[in-house]
Amino acid sequence: MKPFYYLLVGGLSWLLLQACREQYEAPIPYEFSGQTGSGRFTAPVRQAMEGVYTVSDGVGEFGAQVALKWTYVLNGADTTHYLSIFSGNEAGFFNLENDRSVDSLVVRGYWRKLVNTDTGLARLALRTRRNGELQRFTGTLAVGDTLVLEGSYGTGNANPDQPLTLTYNRPLNPRPFAILAHRSGGRTSDLLSVSENSLNMIRLASRLGATGIEIDIKFTKDGVPILYHDNLLNLRLIQKNGLEGPVEEYTYQQLNTLVRLVNGEKIPTLEEALETVLTSTTLNFVWLDTKYDGPMDRVQAIQQRFRQRAIASRRDLRIVIGLPTTQAADAYRALANKENTPVLSELDTAITRSLDARIWAPRWTLGPQIEQVRAMQAEGRTVFVWTLDEPKFIEQFIQESNFDGILSNYSPLVAYYHYVDQ
Amino acid sequence: MILHLRSGWSVLLLGWLVLSGSVALAQRAVRPYEPPADYQPGIYFPQAPRPGEWRKSIGLIFTSTPPEITEEIRLLVPAIDVNLQHGLSKNWYLSARLQTQLVQSNLALGVRYATPVTEKLYAGLGIDGIGWFGALNIKDVFNSQAGGLEAIPHATLGYRLTRDLQLTFRTEAIMDLYYRSTVGPLAVEYDQRRLNGVAFTFALEQPFYKQQHVTLGLRAAYSNFNWQFWSLYDTFERDFFYPQLFFGFIL
């Protein structure tokens, strides 16, 4: 047998396997107008709409019930409102905007499921059911009226042709709960339209159900704190450009000029990220995950500056420094002044107490840890769990544990299980 | 021991090329094909052991982690790989295989049928029932267990290239039957029966030293779930590529 045949078998095997590998993509089939305001969906209408709805048409795709919530992003003094619908099926969600092309209360947009690539268009009209008859909703609900969203959804770019009917059932669960989105809103590997740890992802986060975000902090060669998760520049996170190696080996200027995240965005600085949170979103919590070794004073200075700005603008916004390792804890201990520097400890309860961290965040793989969580809460600490994505465990953690919030890549699913919880 | 690699697949491919090249060089001086006077030991080659005869092998299997799950970290995860086969008749035999990393193990029990098609070409069919279990109890990190059941029907073609060298190609369908995972007192179960993925295996078996024989091969699994990575709790409804390199000494 000649070596040629062995090489041929190996080469053909490789080619066969490469040919069999499917490329996964989930492009958004809808282009948002981004127009400011909310059209005919006035504040009372939006408020009346929020709630848990029973699904009658579309149960197979989206489950028996869904949660509806309005969010908005800010652009200067302008606000743009979006309707989110959270489904318990396969981390499904809808992102919808008001349809200004019609003279009625209509939203349109797209739906997506995060665990796979399923997506499609959707269009829903708001009506009210009065005495068994569906009528146009005029903005006022009489006793006995029920809100109904009636319309259709489709698959991919196809026109929506499958009926979808949502009937108001009850208000959203009002219990305060932190829905924290991993990597500023979601992972790049979940095929979202924007990249993880980008400004666009921060703007998208609340539409995915998040009330807060976790972002990953690294330093450039010239000491600029930026948002980036991995140790290396790699094609998982950035577009191909010939650059490789540790991100810390590049200056901010080099990264800003030469590197684009996979969906085309620039790698943001920590200051740009906090500016976006503060001025463009309604997010109320930012978890700065320290992915670097070294002094913490620069991050502390930025955290304190934006804390002051949030207070000055009367924004309900907590910015906390995460301490995932004993090295990070030591860097925190080494700070000359720890005043107004809230930290979140991922370490054990003893270290968390010794740091006087106001937030404790254990891994979800340790289970609900009921007793420890209660003890920490009794001492005035907030307790979050990370990074929980398994759908059935999300449901159980919300129903059977007493955490104050969950960090997840699937914030729509956390939002769903939290809002429908009774 | 876990090997950190930039590209597990590249290393596996390189390993394949180097090892197959070495085998090829070793075969250059082999005389023309002669029908074997006796059964050649082989774990993968589709030929039943003689009735009542036992075949055994022990080795290692390395699995490369998919980047979709472990992101920039690429691991080549080793497991001890033990095979045992017992001949029932001229064509039928039983098989057992244990893969273990101590904290997680996989036991496959199966029955196989193999028959010669021509003097050099053999074919076989079989099905393995699999039970796997993992437990991770690490302070401040894990309090988790998981286990599951799978079934793998497979078809095998074997070609005896020379008197001593046997080449095997196997294709498998990986069926999920049951999964249960616990963290602390919480548990989730999935008992849906579904096709989890497929796998293709190439194996070479030949004499190694004196009366000893070795198995050397590549298995390429393309599946949604891989039992070895249960503790990473991936939730993607997508198939990932799990390349494996294995070798074993037939005892």
Side-chain angles (χ1 to χ4, degrees), chain A residues 1-3 6-7 9-11 13-14 16-18 20-22 24 90 112 114-117 183 187 189-191 196 229-232 234 236 244 346-349 363-369 389-393 396-397 400-401 410, chain B residues 6 9 13 16-17 20-21 23-25 27-28 67-68 71-72 138-144 161-162 165 167 169 179 181-190 200 202 204 206 218 220-222 231 233-241:
Chain A
M1 188 74 177
K2 294 177 180 176
Y6 290 91
L7 295 171
V9 169
S13 308
W14 185 81
L16 173 71
L17 291 165
Q18 291 300 311
C20 289
R21 293 181 73 175
E22 190 174 344
Y24 290 100
E90 299 169 315
R112 166 81 203 279
L114 284 177
V115 303
N116 53 38
T117 56
R183 298 188 189 170
R187 285 176 302 192
S189 53
D190 282 312
L191 309 174
E196 68 183 50
H229 178 271
D230 290 1
N231 290 318
L232 304 173
N234 60 54
R236 189 186 83 77
E244 58 180 17
E346 297 177 26
L347 303 163
D348 64 35
T349 52
R363 291 170 188 260
W364 78 272
T365 47
L366 290 163
Q369 304 187 88
D389 296 334
E390 157 61 51
K392 286 191 176 182
F393 276 126
Q396 292 190 41
F397 268 74
E400 298 178 32
S401 73
Y410 293 159
Chain B
R6 267 189 88 175
W9 172 242
L13 185 61
W16 167 271
L17 294 175
S20 60
V23 171
L25 289 172
Q27 294 299 317
R28 276 188 159 180
E68 294 87 346
E71 301 191 331
E72 69 172 336
I138 303 170
K139 186 177 182 297
D140 297 325
V141 182
F142 274 103
N143 178 16
S144 311
L161 287 163
T162 69
L165 179 61
L167 178 65
F169 173 72
Y179 169 90
S181 172
T182 64
V183 290
L186 304 181
V188 300
E189 277 187 354
Y190 296 95
F200 304 99
F202 290 100
L204 289 167
Q206 67 163 63
L218 274 174
Y222 191 58
S231 59
Y233 295 99
D234 100 77
T235 53
F236 301 111
E237 285 295 326
R238 300 178 216 162
D239 289 342
F240 296 133
F241 181 44

Side-chain angles (χ1 to χ4, degrees), chain A residues 44-103:
Chain A
V45 173
R46 296 197 305 273
Q47 195 173 2
M49 284 178 69
E50 291 193 338
V52 178
Y53 285 65
T54 303
V55 181
S56 44
D57 297 311
V59 174
E61 196 73 68
F62 303 110
Q65 59 182 356
V66 293
L68 267 71
K69 188 161 179 56
W70 281 91
T71 60
Y72 62 89
V73 292
L74 293 145
N75 184 12
D78 295 328
T79 55
T80 304
H81 294 259
Y82 298 97
L83 176 64
S84 294
I85 302 178
F86 306 116
S87 153
N89 260 20
E90 299 169 315
F93 66 91
F94 290 70
N95 268 187
L96 306 159
E97 65 176 354
N98 84 86
D99 184 352
R100 291 164 196 264
S101 66
V102 293
D103 184 24

Side-chain angles (χ1 to χ4, degrees), chain B residues 80-101:
Chain B
I80 297 167
D81 186 12
V82 179
N83 284 276
L84 186 63
Q85 296 178 348
H86 184 68
L88 297 176
S89 67
K90 183 182 172 188
N91 299 109
W92 288 93
Y93 59 113
L94 298 173
S95 68
R97 182 184 191 188
L98 175 70
Q99 298 171 75
T100 181
Q101 295 149 329

Side-chain angles (χ1 to χ4, degrees), chain A residues 304-337:
Chain A
Q304 294 200 338
R305 183 148 41 87
F306 278 91
R307 179 179 175 277
Q308 287 301 326
R309 285 185 55 191
I311 291 169
S313 57
R314 297 184 179 179
R315 271 277 272 121
D316 172 23
L317 177 62
R318 291 175 79 188
I319 304 168
V320 305
I321 299 175
L323 305 177
T325 62
T326 51
Q327 290 84 354
D330 290 342
Y332 170 69
R333 286 192 180 98
L335 289 173
N337 180 4

Side-chain angles (χ1 to χ4, degrees), chain A residues 182-227:
Chain A
H182 199 214
R183 298 188 189 170
S184 83
R187 285 176 302 192
T188 293
S189 53
D190 282 312
L191 309 174
L192 291 160
S193 57
V194 292
S195 307
E196 68 183 50
N197 282 316
S198 69
L199 300 183
N200 286 341
M201 186 63 92
I202 292 170
R203 292 187 189 100
L204 183 66
S206 58
R207 290 160 66 184
L208 298 175
T211 60
I213 56 171
E214 177 256 21
I215 54 180
D216 301 298
I217 314 299
K218 281 187 172 295
F219 278 93
T220 62
K221 188 178 181 180
D222 50 343
V224 178
I226 56 167
L227 272 56

